[in-house]
Amino acid sequence: MSKNTQRLSQVISTFGPGAMVDLPTRSVVIGGLEQWDMKGGGFTTLSEPRLQERLEKLLKDRNRLDQSKSLFLRTPPTTEAAPNGEPRGISSAIFPAWFVCEEVDVVGTGPAGFRRRRLVRWKDLDATGRKRFNFDDGRKSEVTPIRFVCACTKGHLQDIDWRWVVHGTTVCQEPMWVEEKGTSADPADTSVVCGCGRRLSLQEAFIPGRLGKCRGERPWLLDKDPDGCDLNLKLLTRTATNTYFPQVLTIISLPSEEDELTKLVAELSGELTNVKSMEHVAAAKQFNPKIAASLGEFADGDIFERLIRIREGAKADASKSPKVAEFDVFASGREEIGQNHPAAKLYAQTLKRLAWAGASDIDLSSVRSLVAVHRLREVSCLYGFTRFEAAPTSSDGDIEDVSLAVDGAPISRDADWLPAIEQFGEGLFVHFDEAKIRAWMNEGPAKERDSKLIAGFQHWSLRFGGKGPKYPGLPYALLHSLSHALMSEIALDCGYPASALKERIYALPEGDGGRFGILIYTATAGAQGTLGGLVATAPRFASILKAALDRVAICSNDPVCSDHEPDTQSGDRATHGAACHSCLLIAETSCESRNLYLDRALLTATMSATGEAFF
């Protein structure tokens, strides 16, 4: 695979619009949706009414979508050639426009010595390919993009004006260099130096206001924010992890229990987004071969009636958390959920208790049912991004609250579609007894542990200036910790690597006693189903659960890990009880909450246990 090619899933996550990507000879910022080559059918329209309705309301509320428009979900463009023979793709702007020569001048020796490299602009490079810089004495040097840029908490991004930062209002055209000394890469050991003698230590660049005010530049959209911006710019290391945090909403597709026509219309609802009347249905049949082939034999009125019914259902679902509808389907107790055929969005079986409990020496009375999910469809959609701080995720699966320490940035100027991908896979759903969890919550040791976790959470949320997310609750910490323990153990049994597994935690206190469950699943883009290894672990669930609890009873970092007190820590560690990389933390791509709200003391007795364990 060439280095300037990305997977579809990467384009809606790590390398979406506004993200900086290193290419072999330069760095670019991924272009906004207006710069995606979507002409001539270079994409697929995805149908997921619940997701469309929810995001359409979000974008209209934030004035990012015209009130008269409807929202589409589309896959990113593929690498297949367009009709003109050119490969499809995403246009990306060169960013940053400052480069550092690879040729190094060593000045002096010993502690007083330093290394110096020339600092040049894009326009100064050799016009042939823009890969090297020609010195006045005839030398030629390859160049690399400078590591440092600047941004603000609204997501705006721009080059550092190095001449202004070094000289202020003084005009100077002398050559500039990046000087480094030592081997620590400490900011204090790196300086930008001008031939006139002026210099700036990178340590100074961290001083608030030192880099100047933001101009509202949005290089991924090739414009400036029409609302302007006057925030102080912050230094940003181009390849650091805090340069880009995608905002992605994920939904598990639910089965349709309607007739054949309703199922066909539901599958094509993305193609029918702009249909507002029966006349529009007739036009869609006439001009869209896909719709004509699937719906041609049905009456226009019947098609429109089914479409309205689907939309009204989506609007009703959009008013509540996506996890509520998902939980109600998985925990319905039906022997079969959905239909067992290749085109089904969801097919699962509620297993008989004897099939998974068996003769076990672990108390499974808190587990109401186990559901083997043979086939599921996950749809994920990118709707924005943040810099410096990730927008905290909501424990109930709702859209992230971005009105915190950072603001979500748009990925287009006025596009009426968002990029999304569908992934297919399998999973296990564990339904927990609501009464058992509530009884445990009311016990003294559990209450005392909850108060410590709340204190740590409040300490952590101070970073958001009092506008942080809500505390997810003790049941969420319990189920989240158990999910991580199970994922690590299942990975040893099912054949999938741990990084291939994902989770959805259902800790929803509203309703008749609440909704409590865990979905552990795997999903792969472009594949109908997976290898079946995850579902095959269902008969061994009791032994897997016992092994998972035994494994987290002792951590290799004990007693330090087990003695951890949340309210005495800083950063994300303040949301943890007894949890670290040696016991409960997993790959962040697998965790729905970025490895927050974990405590193995809630699961089983640890070295410092005081009786709060659920099992």
Side-chain angles (χ1 to χ4, degrees), residues 98-105 115-121 124 133-137 139 141-144 146 163 173-179 193:
W98 284 93
F99 293 79
V100 177
C101 291
E102 293 185 4
E103 184 168 320
V104 180
D105 295 329
R115 303 173 301 282
R116 187 172 74 167
R117 296 184 291 164
R118 183 73 177 270
L119 183 63
V120 296
R121 296 293 304 265
D124 300 326
F133 176 73
N134 300 327
F135 288 90
D136 294 337
D137 58 6
R139 291 179 299 156
S141 173
E142 301 289 323
V143 296
T144 56
I146 194 167
R163 289 202 176 275
Q173 297 301 323
E174 291 292 321
M176 300 180 71
W177 288 270
V178 174
E179 286 188 0
V193 181

Side-chain angles (χ1 to χ4, degrees), residues 149-185:
V149 295
C150 57
C152 76
T153 53
K154 289 185 177 180
H156 301 141
L157 182 70
Q158 67 187 60
D159 264 311
I160 297 175
D161 188 345
W162 292 107
R163 289 202 176 275
W164 179 85
V165 171
V166 173
H167 299 91
T169 57
T170 304
V171 178
C172 179
Q173 297 301 323
E174 291 292 321
M176 300 180 71
W177 288 270
V178 174
E179 286 188 0
E180 299 169 315
K181 59 182 179 180
T183 58
S184 65

Side-chain angles (χ1 to χ4, degrees), residues 11 51 58 60 100 139 142 158 176 208 224 273 296 302 311 349 358 390-391 426 435 453 462 470 522 597:
V11 178
L51 187 59
L58 170 74
K60 288 181 177 179
V100 177
R139 291 179 299 156
E142 301 289 323
Q158 67 187 60
M176 300 180 71
K224 290 186 178 182
T273 299
D302 292 340
R311 288 175 177 171
Q349 291 179 306
E426 57 171 328
L453 292 173
L462 291 176
K470 297 178 181 178
T522 181
Y597 320 122

Side-chain angles (χ1 to χ4, degrees), residues 480 483-484 487 502-505 519 521 590-593:
H480 192 207
S483 175
H484 282 212
M487 290 168 74
K502 302 179 183 179
E503 67 179 358
R504 280 178 84 77
I505 311 300
L519 174 65
Y521 68 102
S590 298
C591 177
E592 71 168 21
S593 295

